[in-house]
Amino acid sequence: MEPIVQVSLDLMTIEDALPVAETAVRAGVDWLEAGTPLILGEGLRSVKALRQAFPKHPIIADLKTMDAGYLEAEMMFKAGATHVVVMGVAHPATIAGAVRAGKEYGGQVMGDIMVHPDKPACARMMQDLGVDYIIVHTGLDERNAEKGKSPLDDLASVVAAVTIPVQAVGGLSLEQAVQMPKLGAPLVVIGAPLVVENEEFKPSATDTRLYDLLRRIVTEVKASG
């Protein structure tokens, strides 16, 4: 697939997230993600607000679903999400439930394989259950506890294990993120390092700086495809 640039809105309020989303869209970003902090802070309202403000853009709800797969996915699809995230360490019935909701509501499911002990096997299992994308994710706590850990550790083996598109997330530098399509992960995520300041969920740059940075990233990613 052609490279896609996704911005993760890892902010805690709609008021903070919408200006970042607007700047991202002007810069040419393809997908908008209601990050987990935004969903925790604002719930379904965050997805509804993004859908109202950006009616034509795909919107990912990063639920990190671990149970009630059908119900959680259904709620987000009804609110306007086009994609939801379910965890690979969840019960297979949870993953299958999210996939069923996706089929019923015309949405898609992203399978996050974070902390699974056998990531290629987990990715294959999720593909077999019908998820549409695989997320190779090294979490914040995991990176802090195990210095140097990166999604790059597992990316090649996961890409080789599945035929659906792959995304790599967690601790990548902007330079590394831009290179992901060349490594078999065409869904490029620009997340917390860009839109948070220190450890607080606040916009990290002025509108002009953010626009210029995102525009450069979009240009470089598209050129790499």
Side-chain angles (χ1 to χ4, degrees):
M1 65 180 290
E2 290 295 312
I4 294 290
V5 180
Q6 172 182 327
V7 162
S8 177
L9 301 167
D10 290 329
L11 301 120
M12 295 178 69
T13 68
I14 293 169
E15 289 72 24
D16 282 342
L18 285 179
V20 175
E22 192 276 332
T23 300
V25 167
R26 284 196 292 110
V29 164
D30 303 292
W31 293 4
L32 300 171
E33 176 188 328
T36 307
L38 184 58
I39 290 177
L40 288 171
E42 298 276 13
L44 289 170
R45 290 179 61 239
S46 60
V47 174
K48 291 177 179 177
L50 288 170
R51 174 52 62 219
Q52 182 176 5
F54 307 101
K56 296 182 179 179
H57 276 71
I59 294 171
I60 296 89
D62 188 10
L63 291 170
K64 294 185 174 66
T65 292
M66 278 295 294
D67 193 21
Y70 180 89
L71 175 62
E72 290 195 5
E74 178 186 45
M75 291 172 70
M76 290 298 167
F77 289 138
K78 283 183 173 181
T82 53
H83 300 67
V84 297
V85 178
V86 63
M87 302 305 293
V89 292
H91 193 282
T94 301
I95 300 165
V99 169
R100 180 163 58 89
K103 293 183 184 306
E104 290 185 16
Y105 290 94
Q108 293 189 305
V109 177
M110 307 181 82
D112 188 329
I113 60 175
M114 182 172 73
V115 304
H116 196 283
D118 186 339
K119 291 179 172 59
C122 181
R124 285 193 300 270
M125 177 270 292
M126 296 191 93
Q127 176 176 276
D128 290 344
L129 287 171
V131 306
D132 302 282
Y133 305 91
I134 295 296
I135 305 172
V136 184
H137 185 186
T138 306
L140 176 65
D141 291 339
E142 185 179 7
R143 296 196 310 272
N144 287 339
E146 302 178 49
K147 300 299 183 184
K149 248 195 143 174
S150 163
L152 296 175
D153 299 339
D154 304 290
L155 181 59
S157 61
V158 172
V159 168
V162 297
T163 58
I164 56 178
V166 173
Q167 181 179 84
V169 183
L172 298 176
S173 68
L174 294 180
E175 290 73 20
Q176 288 173 324
V178 168
Q179 295 301 313
M180 287 304 100
K182 295 179 181 177
L183 299 178
L187 299 171
V188 176
V189 181
I190 307 302
L194 178 63
V195 299
V196 303
E197 203 166 64
N198 299 323
E199 294 183 2
E200 296 181 16
F201 294 105
K202 295 180 180 178
S204 66
T206 64
D207 181 75
T208 301
R209 279 187 58 213
L210 186 58
Y211 173 85
D212 291 345
L213 185 55
L214 286 173
R215 186 67 208 152
R216 175 174 66 82
I217 291 167
V218 169
T219 301
E220 292 181 11
V221 169
K222 300 298 183 179
S224 71

